[in-house]
Amino acid sequence: MGGMCRWICVPLVIVTTLASRVDVGAESAEVDLNYVAQRALERAQKPFHSPRADLPKVLDQDNLNYDKYREIRFRRDKALWTDEDLPFRAEFFHPGYVYNEPVHINEFTAEHVQQIRFVQDFFDYGDLNIQDEIPADTGYAGFRLLYALNKTNQLDELGAFLGASYFRLLGKNQSYGQSARGLALNCGETDRGEEFPIFTDWWLGKPDKDASQLTLYALLDSVSCTGAYEFHIRPGETTVADVEAILYFRTPKTIHEADTNASPIKTLGMAPLTSMFWFGKNSEGKFDDYRSEVHDSDGLLIKMNNGETLWCPLDNPSVMRHQVFNAPDIRGFGLLQRERKFSAYQDSFTSFQDEPSVWVEPRDFWGDGDLHLVELSANWEGLDNIVAFWDPRNKPRPLTPFKFGYTLYWTRETDMRLSENKVIATRIGIVPGGGNARQIVIDFAGPKLDAIPLNAPPVAVASCSPNAAIIANQVIRNSDAGAWRVVLEMQPKSNDPVDLRCTLQEGTNVVSETWVYQWSPP
């Protein structure tokens, strides 16, 4: 991606060869969160205008299908900041196909900001002959970041910001899995459609020669609201992203000027995570597949403000399932990939064992609210069918700034201790000769549990909702896994879902996280 112009923000001494590649009108400005928030507020006072309306027809999905879109490749020597050999680089995605909402990208320094114009020379179009039909002011679809993440002498992909408000980051030796989003609105609601906010404008902070972190700003827009976002990204074994956001909701009148069918916002999904769970150890109906597990995440971890830690194994239900956990001032949550052995997946093409867990740690106190887990039914692994987010009980008023901050950790947990005495596996099947009763096997492992003597096993404190009964409860040592195994038998009384909980206690002391699970009839 080289050959991109140097972004020299001095009084405009720009040679002719650069004039075709950048907006020569560099603006003297200090770009920060307030700079973007002012633009978000101004936009919130007007009806939403979808960027896809400005996309040239040659790039829409009817004309540019999947195979044609794949022919368009960014020229790596054109990457932003290549000419100055800076530690971070940015490559751009071409708009078109399903990426039909052009994004405007800017670069800023401490004193100046200028637009990164859409440049056809940045791309190799293969056998396509469409350049003459693409206007010069077309934006990009998004961008990817490069950094010497795994080796000091090699640039690796650090992350990508592409599609609506989705983005993915990587830590050292990780491979892409789940995604984060800027915001989720009405996600998982059955009485109204989901609204997908989009990042329409970006400001990329030019890094110093020795920079170890990158600063980005984004403007989010949607029918119902706008927002300003600040990202500070620090690559490492665990890559960390500090996020600050300011939202402005539009007035009902302004919303309906853009969409007369728009529904009121019922859930405001803060720090949403999106992942895939096709099947795993707890799946009762396996797909016809040679692999024993297929998932980007296998559970939701929640840290409550009272000190309790919940582990909710994920599932691929036959119909959509939407669980809500009362979680005022939540201390953290995340979709985790706990299974780290290749032998569990046996997939030579997708490294599920190397995909990151993503942990959300709120900054300050978020107040009263709920943690939502939405699980959609999926018939193949290409569908992201899992969403987790936190929803504030008190929704913001129109045109009043709504501020919140959090930190995202993209981790394999080798350098983090999110939960030490934890659930490492859940398995479910029939009770032999037990009719419709189910046998539930849960393995717990950790340092506190290892210290418990074999002749005095912990006690499993298990319970279920009134539409079922726990009819057997046993704790044994699983020496092969270095774990204590809980074997429960549950008798459902109806065809409705059953809520289950289980913790291990030694005497009166809780020595494990709390396993929570919503079982549905297969």
Side-chain angles (χ1 to χ4, degrees), residues 20 26 61 124 155 238 268 360 482:
S20 64
Q61 195 170 355
D124 178 354
L155 289 175
T238 288
L268 194 170
V360 178

Side-chain angles (χ1 to χ4, degrees), residues 43-49 222-225 249-264 397-399:
R43 193 176 292 186
Q45 294 168 345
K46 304 172 184 177
F48 172 70
H49 173 78
S222 186
V223 171
S224 297
C225 71
F249 275 75
R250 289 184 163 96
T251 63
K253 178 178 181 296
T254 307
I255 291 171
H256 287 114
E257 284 181 27
D259 184 357
T260 56
N261 297 316
S263 299
R397 293 174 296 173
L399 301 180

Side-chain angles (χ1 to χ4, degrees), residues 200-220:
T200 61
D201 300 80
W202 282 94
W203 291 261
L204 314 183
K206 183 177 180 179
D208 296 328
K209 280 279 189 181
D210 58 351
S212 58
Q213 107 170 6
L214 189 66
T215 299
L216 313 174
Y217 294 96
L219 177 59
L220 178 137

Side-chain angles (χ1 to χ4, degrees), residues 284 428-440 471-472 487-492:
E284 296 181 74
I428 302 175
I430 63 169
V431 174
N436 65 344
R438 312 307 289 178
Q439 191 170 61
I440 302 168
I471 57 176
V487 182
L488 304 176
E489 292 183 9
M490 182 270 295
Q491 178 67 63

Side-chain angles (χ1 to χ4, degrees), residues 97 113 315 520:
Y97 178 49
V113 60
D315 203 358
S520 298

Side-chain angles (χ1 to χ4, degrees), residues 437-438 463-472 489-493 498 500:
R438 312 307 289 178
S463 61
C464 63
S465 50
N467 60 331
I470 303 294
I471 57 176
E489 292 183 9
M490 182 270 295
Q491 178 67 63
K493 301 177 182 178
V498 176
L500 297 138

